[in-house]
Amino acid sequence: MTAIETENLRKRFRGVNAVDGVDLSVPEGAIFGFLGPNGAGKTTTIRLLLGLLRPNRGRIALFGENLKSRRTKALKSVGVAFETPAHYEHLTGRENLDITRRLLNLDKSEIDRVLETVELKYVENRLVRKYSLGMRHRLGLARALLGRPKLLIFDEPTNGLDPVGIREMREFIKTLPERTGATVFVSSHHLAEIEQMASHVAVINLGQIVFQGDMKELRGLHAPRLELACSDPGGAASLLSGSGKQTQTRGGRLVLELASADEAEREAAEINRHLVGAGFDIHHLAIAPWTLEELFLQLVGAKPTIRSDAA
Ligand SMILES: Nc1ncnc2c1ncn2[C@@H]1O[C@H](COP(=O)(O)OP(=O)(O)OP(=O)(O)O)[C@@H](O)[C@H]1O
């Protein structure tokens, strides 16, 4: 079953489509990264998924339950944490969680369980105004975990955290599907972060999905490049150009795009043989996949470039 399924979702603000024909399919058990530049439509999509905004068009189902016709049932299985967690500053961490626990009519033991999961038990009786930002974020996650939701939605969960806090949060989110059985939908514009924690990813730009699939499919969008260093790079470049392979130079190395990901090793070996056969000494030869950042920039319309030395 899919955790989230949207069909042709649209939300318009003052004549502008913030979300424009979005079809999402989030498999159960995934850590699904929802990636997009500022203003791409991530938060609007999340607010639609939570029923906080009404779409102008389209359909949303959470675990097969239609959000419009079976709202309570659909949202029952969802826990959410927003980028700036809002807590009662004059209450302790435990007291904050107790408010939500009462609303959800859960057993008191739930508070201990979630405090232990996010490792905040040792400060449970401290006022939230004395919490660090990282602790506040973790308290937000603890609240999201109350009631063992099947789907966790996190909007930019590492915003404002320092590098240590970011790593802690990322490592924590990574463990959630295994520890809780939940599906995680996490929005971010931090590419490296999504790369390190997500099993699946959708990229949104100007309200539209420009890629959706697993990380392997994302990497497979472009064949990798071959980087090589040899004696007489100019001569090697013109030899390769004669056989239809255009090269650029970067940091004194020749770089060329291979024809396909599946055949990359065979093609690299062929180029190596060709150059060695023609008398060139090869000092370095490496297959270099596209970084997620380069793929992302290409998907959102800013073409990645192989910088030439002359540039
Ligand atoms: N309530 C609103 N009224 C008018 N326009 C809005 C409203 N909410 C969002 N928008 C616009 O919709 C577009 C998408 O915004 P959204 O907040 O969903 O993007 P985002 O991907 O979450 O961006 P960020 O990463 O900066 O948070 C933007 O152009 C934004 O200005």
Side-chain angles (χ1 to χ4, degrees):
M1 184 184 283
T2 47
I4 302 174
E5 190 90 49
T6 75
E7 202 181 289
N8 207 12
L9 206 56
R10 172 186 283 175
K11 181 65 191 174
R12 200 194 335 258
F13 293 116
R14 296 190 211 105
V16 176
N17 290 331
V19 167
D20 190 8
V22 163
D23 295 325
L24 283 174
S25 182
V26 177
E28 210 173 339
I31 296 185
F32 193 97
F34 193 43
L35 205 56
N38 289 124
K42 300 182 296 295
T43 302
T44 305
T45 304
I46 286 177
R47 294 177 72 199
L48 290 166
L49 294 177
L50 295 169
L52 299 172
L53 283 174
R54 204 191 297 251
N56 296 97
R57 199 173 74 185
R59 192 185 66 86
I60 299 170
L62 305 178
F63 296 99
E65 302 289 350
N66 188 302
L67 186 61
K68 194 170 170 197
S69 55
R70 295 168 69 85
R71 185 185 169 90
T72 312
K73 189 112 197 278
L75 291 175
K76 203 171 156 29
S77 45
V78 185
V80 61
F82 284 105
E83 67 181 284
T84 321
H87 306 298
Y88 293 102
E89 299 280 316
H90 61 290
L91 299 180
T92 65
R94 171 170 277 275
E95 286 165 345
N96 266 276
L97 292 174
D98 200 44
I99 293 172
T100 312
R101 179 197 70 82
R102 283 166 196 253
L103 284 172
L104 296 175
N105 199 19
L106 301 170
D107 194 85
K108 274 199 164 163
S109 62
E110 260 302 272
I111 298 187
D112 295 303
R113 186 184 70 81
V114 296
L115 280 170
E116 267 155 30
T117 307
V118 302
E119 293 168 19
L120 279 184
K121 195 93 174 73
Y122 72 108
V123 283
E124 63 175 336
N125 293 320
R126 191 182 290 179
L127 296 181
V128 165
R129 71 163 170 264
K130 294 189 176 155
Y131 274 23
S132 70
L133 192 64
M135 287 175 183
R136 285 159 196 258
H137 274 258
R138 296 220 300 274
L139 187 62
L141 292 193
R143 191 166 49 203
L145 293 171
L146 282 170
R148 301 178 187 267
K150 288 197 290 176
L151 172 64
L152 292 163
I153 296 183
F154 301 142
D155 190 14
E156 310 253 4
T158 58
N159 254 14
L161 294 179
D162 64 19
V164 175
I166 290 176
R167 198 176 65 193
E168 264 178 28
M169 185 61 73
R170 186 180 67 223
E171 294 305 312
F172 175 71
I173 290 174
K174 265 165 79 171
T175 65
L176 282 173
E178 207 179 310
R179 280 161 72 174
T180 67
T183 305
V184 179
F185 182 89
V186 52
S187 81
S188 178
H189 50 248
H190 293 295
L191 311 159
E193 196 172 287
I194 290 296
E195 185 173 27
Q196 288 175 64
M197 71 180 160
S199 56
H200 295 71
V201 66
V203 180
I204 185 168
N205 189 40
L206 300 173
Q208 299 186 335
I209 300 295
V210 290
F211 172 82
Q212 183 167 197
D214 62 29
M215 294 307 279
K216 193 160 172 263
E217 286 170 285
L218 180 60
R219 295 211 171 282
L221 279 181
H222 288 283
R225 292 154 296 181
L226 186 72
E227 283 184 359
L228 68 93
C230 63
S231 56
D232 187 14
S238 56
L239 181 73
L240 291 171
S241 154
S243 53
K245 296 187 195 309
Q246 297 311 319
T247 57
Q248 291 182 283
T249 50
R250 184 167 57 180
R253 288 179 176 172
L254 293 179
V255 180
L256 64 101
E257 287 186 35
L258 296 171
S260 88
D262 293 342
E263 296 286 304
E265 287 181 4
R266 190 195 53 71
E267 207 183 337
E270 193 179 286
I271 290 168
N272 187 36
R273 271 197 304 275
H274 189 37
L275 290 172
V276 171
F280 293 93
D281 290 333
I282 307 293
H283 310 138
H284 170 91
L285 187 82
I287 294 171
W290 291 79
T291 63
L292 186 63
E293 185 174 8
E294 289 168 319
L295 290 167
F296 175 76
L297 289 174
Q298 192 162 78
L299 285 167
V300 301
K303 260 189 170 296
T305 52
I306 298 174
R307 258 177 291 126
S308 84
D309 285 343

